[in-house]
Amino acid sequence: MKILFFCTAHNSLSQRLFLVLSRKHSVTVEYALSPERMIEAANLAKPHLIICPFLTSLVPQQIYDAYLTLIVHPGPPGDAGPSALDWLLMGDDGTDADSERLLSENRFNPVGRSHWGVTVLQAIGKFDAGPVWAFDQFHVNINDTSVTKSSLYRGPVTQAAIAATVAAIERIEAAASLVRPPSGAPISPPATPKPEDPEADPIGHISPSLSADAAFAELSVSISEPFLGGPTHHRPLLKAAHRNFDVRKHTASTISRRIRSADSQPGCLSDLFGPKLYLYGGMIESSSSPSSSIRGYTLPGSVIHVRDEAVCVATCDNKGIWITHIRQVKTKTDPALWPKVPAASGLEQLGISLVQGSSFYIPAVPQTPSEHWGKSSHSTFQEIWVDFVTEGERRLAYLYFDFYNGAMSTGQCRRLVQCLEYISFKATDPTEHLPLTAVVLMGGNSYFSNGIHLNVIEAAGDPALESWYNINAINDVVEKLLLDLPVRGVTTIAAIRGNCAAGGVALAAACDVVLAGQHVVLNPAYRALGLYGSEFHSISYPGRCGAERAKSALRSMTPLSADDALSMGLVDHVLRVSADLLDGAVRDTVQSLFSFAENVEGVPSPKFGAWKQNADTSPAGLALARATELGQMSMDFWSARSERYHSRRRDFVRKAKPSSTPLRFATHRRQKGMTDEEEQDMFDSVEWFVEKAAHKLKQDMSERMIRVINDFSMGNDDRTRLASPMSGTDVNIAKSTPIFGCYYNP
């Protein structure tokens, strides 16, 4: 079947669904940039079915009148509106149908619903109101502080969306009376072609007038049960003001839900620190340290601790709430969104002092003992921890690094290096009964790692220099895995439990063994961001995949499933369990890797790091690879070629609306010989960017002269300038439309 995706952005859900459906169907993607572009795409693709996995705009009537069009809505049957997950996490249990009263009287249930769902319904004129072709549901706990809108979306919502979409397609195929369309027909109800037509479509046209069985809206596809989460309603857009909180009367759990309901877009708008800012985080501090009762420092709103650039603020119920990141509010005069940055440094650079009275904050919250790097015994904010376990005659270290959105800043990488140095010390500690056998990199639940921290870089006074610091810091992490730990006889294992991209994939690939959950999506290429890449990928990728496959992974710039990565050699084992069972499966698999040879007589020990036989991982080889990669990266940061990286980073961080769909996704637009700019060899040429910059400069100067003359004659000055966030540097930035503009409107 030919399937066309309409997406506001090709995000984690649409990528995962694309990979699943592509096993059986031909899938192409179009960004929903305008009704005209969508109609044009349908005419070009001539799909049997249109699916909208992530769409924040209406489908034009011309499309859904001609093609059966499915909307993937992140809510169960009967739920409608653009803020489904937001209302869920706020505590809407469905008992009050009046949205305005629910908000004004704060009738949210602190326990919330037990279940939520995803519905695949047919597009009609009314939003989220078409016939239901399938739905699925899952258990949810809104008071689990690890559950945010974005983590929910990437996890159970995505899994339910896949199950429901696959079921919907099967039901449509079974119900369809297939009528073949004429070749090259534009949008209109297709007619039947002549049977002798050699180009006749073997599947034919699937009529949008097909009737969905009413039972499809009654029973979920996974457990064949009615929706278990309570009544559902149409809910309006949840505006920023609706999530605001007052630390003097709202408990830590209420504040946490409100912050997490807005993560990662748009953030919770609050004046907690003075000016209105979007806040992120929401972890609860439950420590009952005696120092927390110091008079004058536990007034609600007081800063009671700062840890790893996160700020903890006292709440009215003698607890605390951790704010990990902030974003400035976009005003009408700002040409683009501001970067999202770590809270402590962001507040400091905005001139918002964390000093109380004449002294710095009192650390009422105990610091997690970094000298032991253990998991805290109480609810708190903690990014890095190690779990040492003994299994028979083996001692293993499970290393967790749960960084927000998988991004690893310079500071975070340096802390991870410190933790790895501690593990290296423990590997040969004579006081330990057993030597350390292996380190298992667990990353985070939602993301394993996405490489360098683009938001922190974009916010820096000198983004190129911060990029250099960041890439060197993450290289230091990878070097520990390739050099320091192997020298001590420690096996390195990466357990990819969440999505992974760019430097995060290379970080995992540097390990002796790579495990991956069956649901994860990997994007190993750096190129779409305009980077050559580092993290010793020039050693690990060819060593694991061979030169040609390594080049293909870096040049294709398309997502990979865990099975795709397995077939290429980037992954060694795929764990075929559900996401909630993945942690246990990782530990079972690690144990079996080491115990297999011990239990089977005559079987040789497993060859951990066999890929290294195809690569030079000696100190000299690693030094050469690092120098070569960084030589290329320096051109990405400072040469004329840097335009490709700096512009793409800026657009990504500030969520600029793209001008077109990349051809690598929109295969319906790719004609013979057509390629994306990033696919061409000239994209690596410094000279090509010099010529391009010179040509653009001439164009800009001519346009600017005309504009200046016109402005001067009218007495205007429309220069668009933007101060580099969290710095005092002026940077010229073209005014852009945010892709999620409505989300950031206070």
Side-chain angles (χ1 to χ4, degrees), residues 340-363:
K340 187 188 304 180
V341 295
S345 59
L347 291 170
E348 180 184 355
Q349 292 181 26
L350 280 172
I352 301 173
S353 177
L354 298 177
V355 174
Q356 301 192 16
S358 60
S359 62
F360 195 62
Y361 64 89
I362 295 295

Side-chain angles (χ1 to χ4, degrees), residues 247-586:
V247 290
R248 296 169 297 180
K249 66 179 183 180
H250 288 136
T251 64
S253 59
T254 298
I255 297 171
S256 173
R257 288 193 297 271
R258 293 190 173 208
I259 293 174
R260 291 184 288 110
S261 74
D263 188 283
S264 61
Q265 294 179 86
C268 183
L269 189 63
S270 171
D271 60 359
L272 178 64
F273 297 105
K276 285 192 173 182
L277 298 167
Y278 289 112
L279 308 182
Y280 306 85
M283 286 70 74
I284 295 174
E285 176 59 50
S286 63
S287 170
S288 57
S289 168
S291 62
S292 63
S293 61
I294 297 174
R295 182 176 177 84
Y297 289 93
T298 55
L299 291 174
S302 299
V303 175
I304 52 178
H305 204 79
V306 175
R307 178 189 303 145
D308 297 340
E309 295 204 76
V311 178
C312 187
V313 176
T315 54
C316 64
D317 54 346
N318 294 318
K319 293 183 180 179
I321 200 78
W322 286 95
I323 308 301
T324 63
H325 292 76
I326 64 168
R327 185 198 291 270
Q328 290 188 64
V329 177
K330 180 185 181 296
T331 67
K332 291 182 179 179
T333 58
D334 290 331
L337 294 179
W338 297 82
K340 187 188 304 180
V341 295
S345 59
L347 291 170
E348 180 184 355
Q349 292 181 26
L350 280 172
I352 301 173
S353 177
L354 298 177
V355 174
Q356 301 192 16
S358 60
S359 62
F360 195 62
Y361 64 89
I362 295 295
V365 176
Q367 173 71 306
T368 302
S370 59
E371 64 270 19
H372 300 300
W373 295 98
K375 176 69 172 172
S376 174
S377 60
H378 65 274
S379 173
T380 190
F381 163 74
Q382 187 175 6
E383 291 182 316
I384 304 173
W385 67 94
V386 185
D387 181 18
F388 287 98
V389 299
T390 300
E391 298 174 351
E393 294 301 311
R394 291 179 298 277
R395 194 160 61 94
L396 307 171
Y398 289 86
L399 171 57
Y400 295 80
F401 43 100
D402 195 1
F403 299 133
Y404 183 77
N405 284 345
M408 301 171 66
S409 68
T410 302
Q412 288 168 323
C413 289
R414 288 171 180 169
R415 289 193 290 275
L416 193 54
V417 166
Q418 290 173 359
C419 186
L420 286 167
E421 288 172 346
Y422 170 74
I423 292 172
S424 295
F425 166 76
K426 297 295 284 185
T428 54
D429 187 352
T431 64
E432 296 290 343
H433 176 64
L434 293 171
L436 191 65
T437 305
V439 173
V440 185
L441 304 186
M442 299 293 281
N445 272 319
S446 194
Y447 285 112
F448 177 80
S449 168
N450 284 328
I452 59 177
H453 202 311
L454 300 177
N455 275 269
V456 169
I457 291 169
E458 177 69 10
D462 186 339
L465 185 60
E466 181 57 35
S467 299
W468 182 255
Y469 290 151
N470 203 164
I471 199 65
N472 274 279
I474 198 170
N475 279 351
D476 291 342
V477 175
V478 180
E479 193 166 289
K480 293 289 180 187
L481 304 174
L482 284 170
L483 190 59
D484 291 18
L485 289 168
V487 164
R488 289 168 171 78
V490 179
T491 298
T492 56
I493 301 172
I496 303 176
R497 301 178 300 146
N499 294 346
C500 190
V505 179
L507 171 65
C511 291
D512 295 317
V513 180
V514 179
L515 315 177
Q518 63 177 348
H519 61 281
V520 303
V521 176
L522 297 90
N523 281 279
Y526 306 83
R527 198 170 179 83
L529 191 65
L531 290 174
Y532 175 84
S534 195
E535 295 96 0
F536 298 93
H537 78 273
S538 60
I539 288 181
S540 61
Y541 283 14
R544 286 182 161 277
C545 309
E548 286 305 311
R549 283 187 171 182
K551 182 178 179 181
S552 174
L554 291 167
R555 293 293 288 260
S556 67
M557 295 171 289
T558 52
L560 300 175
S561 68
D563 285 314
D564 292 335
L566 177 67
S567 67
M568 292 181 63
L570 283 175
V571 164
D572 298 302
H573 302 276
V574 175
L575 307 184
R576 304 188 187 282
V577 298
S578 60
D580 57 334
L581 299 176
L582 191 53
D583 278 25
V586 167

Side-chain angles (χ1 to χ4, degrees), residues 1-6 26-30 38-51 63 66-69 179 181 185-188 190 201 203-208 668:
M1 185 181 290
K2 293 187 294 183
I3 297 175
L4 171 63
F5 276 13
F6 284 141
S26 172
V27 186
T28 184
V29 180
E30 178 78 18
M38 296 166 74
I39 292 170
E40 183 182 62
N43 279 327
L44 289 170
K46 304 180 185 66
H48 301 111
L49 189 65
I50 294 174
I51 300 177
I63 291 177
Y67 296 94
L68 201 159
T69 303
V179 180
I187 285 184
S188 60
D201 191 331
I203 294 178
H205 177 64
I206 298 178
S207 172
H668 56 281

Side-chain angles (χ1 to χ4, degrees), residues 76 88 112-117 137-141 223 226-230:
L88 168 71
R113 299 177 187 263
S114 62
H115 290 74
W116 195 240
Q137 60 183 315
F138 51 87
H139 175 74
V140 64
N141 176 10
I223 59 175
F227 178 58
L228 304 173

Side-chain angles (χ1 to χ4, degrees), residues 553-728:
L554 291 167
R555 293 293 288 260
S556 67
M557 295 171 289
T558 52
L560 300 175
S561 68
D563 285 314
D564 292 335
L566 177 67
S567 67
M568 292 181 63
L570 283 175
V571 164
D572 298 302
H573 302 276
V574 175
L575 307 184
R576 304 188 187 282
V577 298
S578 60
D580 57 334
L581 299 176
L582 191 53
D583 278 25
V586 167
R587 298 197 179 219
D588 290 344
T589 303
V590 169
Q591 186 174 2
S592 67
L593 287 174
F594 286 100
S595 63
F596 180 76
E598 299 172 6
N599 297 330
V600 182
E601 186 176 353
V603 175
S605 299
K607 293 182 179 180
F608 297 119
W611 67 267
K612 294 179 180 178
Q613 297 174 7
N614 307 319
D616 182 2
T617 57
S618 67
L622 295 178
L624 177 60
R626 180 167 182 160
T628 302
E629 291 174 359
L630 289 178
Q632 291 289 331
M633 294 292 277
S634 68
M635 288 192 283
D636 292 334
F637 300 156
W638 286 293
S639 76
R641 193 175 77 182
S642 68
E643 184 270 334
R644 67 180 194 176
Y645 162 61
H646 292 308
S647 60
R648 283 164 178 75
R649 183 200 65 244
R650 182 175 61 244
D651 289 347
F652 175 81
V653 167
R654 300 178 187 275
K655 304 189 184 303
K657 188 175 182 178
S659 59
S660 62
T661 310
L663 294 173
R664 55 186 176 275
F665 301 141
T667 54
H668 56 281
R669 293 187 180 275
R670 191 194 287 267
Q671 298 177 10
K672 185 176 181 180
M674 292 177 60
T675 59
D676 289 323
E677 182 183 59
E678 300 91 341
E679 297 176 277
Q680 302 170 25
D681 290 338
M682 68 181 184
F683 192 63
D684 296 316
S685 169
V686 174
E687 291 75 18
W688 183 77
F689 279 95
V690 170
E691 294 174 4
K692 182 181 177 183
H695 177 71
K696 187 175 186 300
L697 180 61
K698 290 179 182 178
Q699 264 191 329
D700 288 348
M701 288 181 68
S702 299
E703 292 172 2
R704 189 177 301 174
M705 286 297 294
I706 295 171
R707 191 165 60 247
V708 167
I709 292 170
N710 291 337
D711 289 341
F712 183 76
S713 65
M714 297 178 66
N716 295 332
D717 183 0
D718 69 345
R719 289 176 300 169
T720 301
R721 302 183 70 81
L722 177 67
S724 181
M726 316 309 169
S727 76

